[in-house]
Amino acid sequence: MSGYGIEDLVYILPIVFLLVWALVLVLVEAFTKRPDVTMLLAAFGLLAAVTLSVIQFGTEATAFKEMLTVDGYAVFVYMLVLASGLLSLGLAYDYNRRMGWARGEYYILMLFSIAGAMLMASAANLIVVFLALELLSIPLYVMAAFVPNDASSEEAGLKYFLLGAFAGGFVLYGVALIYGATGATNLMDVVAAALGTNSPVMLLTGAALILVGLGFKVALVPFHMWTPDVYQGAPTPVTAYMAVVAKAGGFAALFRVFIAAFPSVSADLTPVIATLVVLTLVVGNVAALAQKNIKRMLAYSSISHAGFLMMAFVTYGSALYADAVTSLLFYLLAFTVTSFGSWAVVIALEKAEGKGLDFEDYAGLGKKYPMLSAAMLVFLLSFAGVPPTLGFAGKFFLFRTVLEAGYAWLAIVGVIMSLVSAFYYLRVVRFMYFEQGDPEVRSEPVLNLVTAITVVGTIFLFLFSGPLLAWASEAVLALI
Amino acid sequence: MDANLIVFIILAVVAVGSALGMLLNKNAVYSALFLILNFATVAVLYIILGAPFIAMTQVTVYAGAIMVLFLFVIMLLGAEELAGATKIDWQKPAAVVLGVLLLAELIVVIFFRETVFAEFAELTDFGSPAQIGRVLFNEYLLPFEITAFLLLAAMIGAIVIARRVRQSPSKRES
């Protein structure tokens, strides 16, 4: 009674391919010891996985005894994290060589963690959610501690590992309680059993614990304490990578689990989620005001964006959740493009031993490197949500959904916090254009390419945000 | 009085005794050895309860692998003799409160809720190695495979981090 067929593997071919490719690269790296070769092969693997995902678009299927769901939502997130993987390879390639610690294992670990993020987007079983979360996280802990003999990188790795393991425990405990309450770990069975119970205390506690554990991963306040330290201490390409991919995976799993399994307790959870959103927005943005280091500032900024993304969740129990998922996916796309662009500029200015990361180091950038500072300006405007950038479109669709769901006060908080955020983003602009300084930038072809792609993406995709949104909503339809 | 009960009483005495020995011993290595004895007796308890798979896992994973790791860490750090462990003020009262809570919970469960045990006593063959294997490789094949990749990723990561420590042996701090 095995019940598995080759179609199970075919449905999740992008993930299977990526994992097998990572195994091949382990051997390649062991025998050639050429990090650049491994990097090129990893990029090839990611491109192949993107192609496989494109072919997959439109599939609606469950695989492995309903443990995985392949639908438009999952494939959208696949493409997002695979593209993030390609961009962060571009960020890491020159940086790792410049800093003198290029090692092939970096790219292999990254492939593993991308596969974890993809599994999170597809997971339809709580056990798979947990395992995929760990597959996403464990390589991240190592990558955060990747710099040899560097205390701050080691601190970042250890801090992230200890707190991440703790958060993983929360998720696992939540899964256990849900299993205790419903006798199931499959999302479909959980929701069926949950409708039959009239005392959902255990179910509610379990759902709340999963929210805490995944809230840690995506850096929601009050589970955000690790974020600034880890983002600052980790090597910058790793920071860029985890800021996006950990969020994409975490939110993808959170949304699927909550919509599929916990609609019956949404009345109890929505106030909790709304509180988390407000806390995250306020703490993230206000703390970012006080930062002088660009990496810490971007860390707090990414916390605040987690708050914006979480905003989509307040509507998860209502009839509008399809719109909410659409705007979540769109915002995630906008955040990904903008975030990688801004980190690319940070990497261009960064020097060895954590130098070149203060706001003062950006003084005079506008005069000496007009192209680069114009790029940074675009990214900062997109972060703040100013048209004509992708960030504006993301915020626009998000606030619209929240308004339609009847949470006008939440949308107002969001708008106010966007204004606050404009203040600290524009401080960097002030340093770039109105202060005297002599910054030094190394021109590295791959890094410049990433910057160019993301600038073009931030502006160009804004012009096509209508079709993009339609695409995202098409991706969501299957979820219903 | 059947043989099971006699074996249980002997094992229980050994288990409690070794647990006390682990707690009260000042030498960390002796403590670790007491813990191994404790794990082994608990493993035999699992066999009596009809859970041979958990018993085996207990021996190989806990008494075997994890304890070897403990001993290595203790010896590498040279922490055999705990000179004066740092005391935390609220630790003792907190321990008393939690202990009383646990005791109360156990009393409630054992004396006032007999049905809890009755439901589970019926299951035969549940948790046998053959049964677990069947479930693991049929229903939970995918989680099993993901775990395999997870462990591989963790192993590669550990080697990446450890290889670097060897390049700078002087950086070890205590």
Side-chain angles (χ1 to χ4, degrees), chain A residues 5 110 195 245 251 341:
Chain A
M110 203 164 99
L195 290 174
V245 173
F251 275 116

Side-chain angles (χ1 to χ4, degrees), chain B residues 42-170:
Chain B
V42 173
V44 182
L45 280 179
Y46 286 137
I47 293 178
I48 295 177
L49 286 170
F53 184 80
I54 299 184
M56 238 104 78
T57 322
Q58 172 89 1
V59 171
T60 50
V61 177
Y62 284 92
I66 291 186
M67 285 317 296
V68 169
L69 204 68
F70 269 23
L71 284 175
F72 260 101
V73 171
I74 291 169
M75 288 175 170
L76 283 178
L77 292 180
E80 288 95 330
E81 299 289 342
L82 291 173
T86 45
K87 288 215 165 54
I88 307 168
D89 291 337
W90 47 266
Q91 208 170 23
K92 264 190 183 166
V96 170
V97 171
L98 289 177
V100 169
L101 274 179
L102 182 64
L103 193 67
E105 193 184 346
L106 282 175
I107 288 171
V108 168
V109 169
I110 291 172
F111 293 106
F112 300 103
R113 297 204 24 195
E114 292 138 47
T115 51
V116 172
F117 297 102
E119 277 175 38
F120 292 100
E122 299 297 319
L123 297 164
T124 55
D125 194 37
F126 179 79
S128 72
Q131 194 66 31
I132 287 175
R134 220 167 281 140
V135 174
L136 197 60
F137 288 101
N138 279 312
E139 213 178 327
Y140 294 102
L141 180 66
L142 181 79
F144 182 81
E145 296 294 340
I146 299 175
T147 313
F149 279 102
L150 180 60
L151 292 178
L152 179 69
M155 209 155 68
I156 293 172
I159 292 168
V160 167
I161 292 181
R163 272 235 322 253
R164 184 178 71 200
V165 170
R166 206 175 52 193
Q167 290 164 358
S168 63
S170 58

Side-chain angles (χ1 to χ4, degrees), chain A residues 282-300:
Chain A
V282 171
V283 172
N285 282 310
V286 172
L289 287 175
Q291 304 309 317
K292 290 192 172 58
N293 179 297
I294 190 102
K295 280 175 95 172
R296 281 188 91 82
M297 188 275 274
L298 285 174
Y300 279 107

